[in-house]
Amino acid sequence: MANQGSGSSRLPLALPPASQGCSSGGSGSSAGGSDNPPPPRNLQGLLQMAITAGSEEPDLPPEPMSEERRQWLQEAMSAAFRGQREEVEQMKNCLRVLSQPTTPSAGEAELAADQQEREGALELLADLCENMDNAADFCQLSGMHLLVGRYLEAGPAGLRWRAAQLIGTCSQNVAAIQEQVLGLGALRKLLRLLDRDPCDAVRVKALFAISCLVREQEAGLLQFLRLDGFSVLMRAMQQQVQKLKVKSAFLLQNLLGPCAPWAWSSSWWPLSGQNTAPSMSTCLEPCAAW
């Protein structure tokens, strides 16, 4: 006979009474005379009994590692370290390509090939720097100095937007890299690209990099305010590029909304060089700093 549970659930089969426990020799006794818990009366109790029984199993003694397994582990660790070293070498090769001077007297085909090689190097670096360890190594190799000092203001738009993308990729969620990028003056250049660059792709990638430098980053947010970044964002929202409008609105909401309540107290604004939050009419005026 099936035992009726509390509520509508019932077990499909009857469980043995407590006196018929599973211990050998029939030593199970009634409640009070044994440590065995009473049988579950519903599905929830059965689940709890299974979890408890599984957790009470004695730990098995560790087995000695076989020679074959030890060799496999050593090879796997060696391959992992070798892969990291190879990626560092790849970054060094990319930086060598990007550090080469442009030949002014080169022909059109030669200049196109050179630009394609540089763009490929920036794309490879962006892929590698998705790994935060690689991003840190890239900055230690002075790669960020090269990006900010040379490629954010490069002539070809393909180099500018790839440089902005790489800056954002390295900076997102890494405070040490954010501080280095801000110290190099990248935010001013990125805001100028967002506000004035004729290429839509450059403006979108510049906005991505700006977002990675100011969201939940107090030093970046202070610099953003001093550079009148809200005015740039408001003007970006009025452009015809849909992606630019949406991403600008999202960043504006993040900076002004409840996601950053610590930043907008009355005692915080004077630190940014302003007495009050920027007004809408002020944000729509062109920025004299550019």
Side-chain angles (χ1 to χ4, degrees):
M1 289 175 31
N3 290 334
Q4 182 121 9
S6 59
S8 59
S9 62
R10 63 173 62 191
L11 295 176
L13 297 174
L15 292 172
S19 60
Q20 299 177 2
C22 297
S23 58
S24 61
S27 60
S29 61
S30 60
S34 171
D35 293 335
N36 292 333
R41 301 184 61 83
N42 52 36
L43 293 177
Q44 177 104 16
L46 181 61
L47 176 62
Q48 184 62 39
M49 184 184 72
I51 294 174
T52 304
S55 62
E56 290 178 351
E57 291 182 0
D59 294 335
L60 297 176
E63 298 180 0
M65 184 179 294
S66 64
E67 185 62 31
E68 182 182 1
R69 189 172 182 183
R70 182 182 289 107
Q71 183 178 358
W72 176 87
L73 183 60
Q74 290 176 346
E75 291 177 355
M77 294 178 64
S78 299
F81 287 121
R82 185 170 60 250
Q84 181 67 24
R85 289 194 298 269
E86 289 175 354
E87 290 181 351
V88 172
E89 287 301 318
Q90 285 181 298
M91 289 192 290
K92 289 181 179 179
N93 292 335
C94 290
L95 288 174
R96 276 193 286 270
V97 171
L98 295 173
S99 301
Q100 293 175 0
T102 304
T103 307
S105 58
E108 184 176 347
E110 192 174 346
L111 288 175
D114 179 74
Q115 179 183 336
Q116 186 175 5
E117 185 179 16
R118 293 174 193 270
E119 290 177 354
L122 290 171
E123 289 179 359
L124 177 56
L125 286 170
D127 289 338
L128 293 172
C129 290
E130 291 283 352
N131 182 313
M132 288 193 296
D133 291 334
N134 286 340
D137 291 336
F138 173 76
C139 293
Q140 290 180 358
L141 294 170
S142 300
M144 198 59 69
H145 291 75
L146 187 63
L147 289 181
V148 176
R150 181 171 173 182
Y151 282 90
L152 280 183
E153 298 175 317
L159 296 178
R160 294 197 304 275
W161 75 253
R162 286 176 173 85
Q165 180 185 33
L166 181 52
I167 289 174
T169 300
C170 292
S171 301
Q172 55 187 347
N173 305 319
V174 185
I177 297 179
Q178 290 169 342
E179 292 170 3
Q180 181 183 14
V181 175
L182 292 169
L184 292 172
L187 189 57
R188 180 184 294 274
K189 294 183 178 182
L190 290 167
L191 285 168
R192 187 182 298 121
L193 291 177
L194 175 59
D195 206 28
R196 293 186 173 184
D197 200 278
C199 176
D200 293 339
V202 174
R203 302 174 76 183
V204 171
K205 296 301 183 180
L207 179 58
F208 163 67
I210 291 167
S211 176
C212 293
L213 290 172
V214 302
R215 292 179 61 185
E216 300 183 15
Q217 165 56 259
E218 186 172 356
L221 195 51
L222 281 168
Q223 197 174 124
F224 179 80
L225 289 167
R226 293 192 183 110
L227 294 171
D228 200 18
F230 280 106
S231 298
V232 180
L233 274 186
M234 292 297 297
R235 289 194 291 275
M237 289 175 60
Q238 302 172 64
Q239 302 301 315
Q240 300 302 317
V241 183
Q242 185 68 17
K243 184 178 291 187
L244 200 60
K245 293 169 69 172
V246 172
K247 291 182 179 294
S248 298
F250 182 80
L251 179 57
L252 187 65
Q253 180 187 29
N254 180 271
L255 296 179
L256 293 175
C259 293
W262 53 270
W264 312 115
S265 63
S266 58
S267 61
W268 192 87
W269 279 101
L271 296 176
S272 66
Q274 304 184 49
N275 295 323
T276 59
S279 64
M280 183 70 69
S281 59
T282 303
C283 288
L284 296 178
E285 293 294 328
C287 180
W290 309 133

